[in-house]
Amino acid sequence: MGQACCCTGDETKNVKTITAVDDEKTPGYSPDNMEVMADTLQEANKSKSKPVPEGKKSDGTDGAINFTLVRDSKVNIGLNLDALDGVTAFVDDVVPGAVESWNSSHPPHERLQVYDRILTVNNIKTDTDSMLAELKVATNWKLCVIRPTEVQVSVDCTMHPSLGLDLKYSPNGNTLLISELGEGAIKEWNKNSTMQITRFDRIVGINGVRGGARSLLQTAADCESLQLAILHYEGGNIHKP
């Protein structure tokens, strides 16, 4: 049997839920969670591609979209966000609530979507906890977000037994965050691709499997080849000042 790729991750509880009313009023809504799934697909490295969804680009961060969202303070916010990278808020899911209601009546460039990374909230940036606190108390959100491109990466584990990735995930999340990128298969892939996988990109699929982060890791075990679906965020490798 051939060499299998090494793919492991560190579980973290750094998942947040913001609510405007009592959590028990929304079935299945956990006070330890905040979560949203965008169809922002564009395959790279000689793959077929689909355009990134319509968005209003800013003149600042590459690929950033600026808009203002006004929510009803009497309705549950309805966002599942994770704070794994410490500098942005990642939208893992949009559940019934104020944000879903807003999205239903506004064009794509004014919606908060699954897989969006929130860069700023009312001019607060690079501090996820402060951003989440502002989302909870404010009803007018001046947002700057970035949306990803989905990249398909093929890895031959017989040639590259290590991906060279440090991964983090939340227990109830649906992605694996690339927290660090070192020597290994992904770095080698970058050498031959115009689109570079970078820190804070996210793995959302492995060998056709999507869903919970733990399922992704289990799928990668003892495989001689991996087909990775990775969300790449142009200009998304952000650091605290």
Side-chain angles (χ1 to χ4, degrees):
M1 188 170 180
Q3 180 73 50
C5 284
C6 177
C7 185
T8 61
D10 295 327
E11 182 176 302
T12 174
K13 302 292 185 181
N14 203 9
V15 182
K16 310 289 183 179
T17 297
I18 50 173
T19 61
V21 295
D22 293 339
D23 297 314
E24 56 266 25
K25 293 182 181 179
T26 303
Y29 199 72
S30 165
D32 295 323
N33 256 324
M34 277 183 75
E35 299 180 5
V36 189
M37 262 180 176
D39 23 59
T40 54
L41 307 180
Q42 179 182 330
E43 297 178 0
N45 199 26
K46 299 181 181 179
S47 299
K48 294 181 180 179
S49 63
K50 298 180 181 179
V52 174
E54 176 186 350
K56 182 180 179 181
K57 301 296 176 101
S58 74
D59 295 327
T61 304
D62 291 344
I65 301 169
N66 294 308
F67 62 97
T68 298
L69 186 155
V70 181
R71 69 176 179 87
D72 185 344
S73 62
K74 298 178 182 179
V75 179
N76 225 353
I77 292 173
L79 275 181
N80 291 340
L81 303 173
D82 85 34
L84 291 174
D85 66 32
V87 290
T88 67
F90 173 79
V91 182
D92 192 56
D93 198 7
V94 175
V95 299
V99 173
E100 184 181 70
S101 177
W102 169 274
N103 286 348
S104 67
S105 59
H106 289 80
H109 66 272
E110 294 180 0
R111 298 174 189 165
L112 191 55
Q113 302 183 24
V114 173
Y115 296 161
D116 282 355
R117 282 180 67 195
I118 303 174
L119 303 181
T120 66
V121 180
N122 296 340
N123 298 319
I124 299 171
K125 60 182 179 180
T126 67
D127 184 337
T128 307
D129 287 340
S130 296
M131 293 165 60
L132 295 181
E134 181 68 10
L135 289 171
K136 187 170 183 177
V137 300
T139 55
N140 284 33
W141 299 347
K142 183 179 179 182
L143 300 174
C144 179
V145 307
I146 49 175
R147 290 187 177 147
T149 297
E150 185 172 299
V151 185
Q152 299 294 324
V153 177
S154 296
V155 176
D156 184 346
C157 299
T158 61
M159 296 180 61
H160 302 287
S162 173
L163 293 178
L165 303 178
D166 287 338
L167 302 173
K168 291 183 179 181
Y169 65 95
S170 56
N172 298 316
N174 297 306
T175 69
L176 301 173
L177 173 73
I178 299 173
S179 61
E180 297 292 342
L181 196 157
E183 296 297 328
I186 301 303
K187 194 168 185 178
E188 289 300 312
W189 185 90
N190 278 345
K191 293 178 181 179
N192 300 306
S193 175
T194 56
M195 182 167 293
Q196 302 293 290
I197 303 303
T198 60
R199 186 169 177 249
F200 297 159
D201 287 349
R202 290 181 180 250
I203 299 173
V204 292
I206 298 179
N207 292 351
V209 173
R210 297 187 183 229
R214 290 176 178 142
S215 295
L216 294 177
L217 290 174
Q218 291 169 0
T219 300
D222 300 322
C223 290
E224 295 185 6
S225 64
L226 296 175
Q227 184 71 23
L228 305 175
I230 300 178
L231 302 179
H232 171 66
Y233 295 85
E234 191 66 30
N237 190 3
I238 301 162
H239 301 273
K240 288 183 179 291

